[in-house]
Amino acid sequence: MPDGSLSLPARLYLLAWDTGRLKITGTARLHLLVRAGALTELAQRGLLVDDDGIAVPVGLDESTGDPVLDGLLELVRESRPRRWKTWVTLHARTTLDAVREQLAAEGFLRAERRRVLGVLPSVDYALERVAAVDALREGARRVLEGPLPAAVVPERDAAVVALAAAAELRTLVPAKDRRRHKARIDELTDRSGAAAPALRRVVREVNAAVIVAATAAATAAG
């Protein structure tokens, strides 16, 4: 998949952009998707491990070098023990804000500062690197539709598609296609945690939490 240097949460955020309309989609659940991506990547890297359903940091000084992932890792370290599904939602917008700031600094987004009611400062983001996002989406669609067997898809690429499907990200997996790809999505979900049975359980739990939280967010927004 193109832009392999991008973290999982960054890829998921970019995939939410409709490059035809230059608008972000799924805003009611985007923070949940991005947070789930960060949790999954930390688990894949072995920096968060499972202890009977609890997300537990490994070591006190371990880091990834990615400010978004390290910010979440530090938050988990400083907080009381919580279950994976709790971390999908708890303070999730802080991870979304960090991803947007990171992508703006790297030139994928353009930050447009304004004031609400002429007083309160606010920041809007516009997509700058449209071609890069189109290439990222095309790569994700190849993962979703084949031809590679799920067993040889890189774990992070598999997680991108599995989480996007769990959050019903229509720019990648429209509702009309979800049932048709169900078997493949299940395979990719398992592939996301292929390194160990415990990791597969974590990925499944995070995906299930995204589905529940995203459905609740969409209902509240509607």
Side-chain angles (χ1 to χ4, degrees), residues 19-180:
T19 54
R21 301 168 61 200
L22 292 181
K23 293 184 66 175
I24 196 79
T25 65
T27 54
R29 63 192 77 176
L30 187 55
H31 59 301
L32 307 170
L33 176 60
V34 168
R35 169 58 68 81
L39 288 169
T40 300
E41 181 156 352
L42 287 171
Q44 287 179 335
R45 290 181 181 225
L47 296 176
L48 283 181
V49 297
D50 182 69
D51 182 6
D52 196 23
I54 303 296
V56 178
V58 173
L60 296 176
D61 301 317
E62 300 290 339
S63 66
T64 67
D66 181 286
V68 175
L69 298 175
D70 289 340
L72 176 55
L73 190 58
E74 187 64 22
L75 178 62
V76 177
R77 283 190 182 124
E78 293 177 350
S79 302
R80 64 178 177 82
R82 290 185 168 91
R83 303 188 73 82
W84 294 94
K85 65 181 181 181
T86 300
W87 280 118
V88 169
T89 58
L90 187 66
H91 307 308
R93 293 188 186 278
T94 61
T95 302
L96 175 60
D97 290 343
V99 164
R100 289 189 295 210
E101 291 171 6
Q102 179 187 46
L103 290 172
E106 293 177 357
F108 285 90
L109 304 176
R110 180 177 70 255
E112 300 176 338
R113 304 186 183 279
R114 62 186 179 89
R115 289 187 177 274
V116 178
L117 301 176
V119 179
L120 301 174
S122 181
V123 180
D124 291 333
Y125 291 91
L127 184 62
E128 284 280 277
R129 295 179 59 182
V130 174
V133 175
D134 282 338
L136 185 65
R137 181 171 294 108
E138 182 58 33
R141 283 180 175 151
R142 284 197 300 271
V143 170
L144 175 63
E145 298 173 0
L148 283 179
V152 298
V153 172
E155 290 179 24
R156 193 159 50 158
D157 290 354
V160 167
V161 175
L163 287 167
E168 300 182 348
L169 192 64
R170 64 177 179 82
T171 51
L172 181 61
V173 192
K176 62 183 177 63
D177 293 342
R178 205 167 296 121
R179 180 174 297 180
R180 176 164 61 92

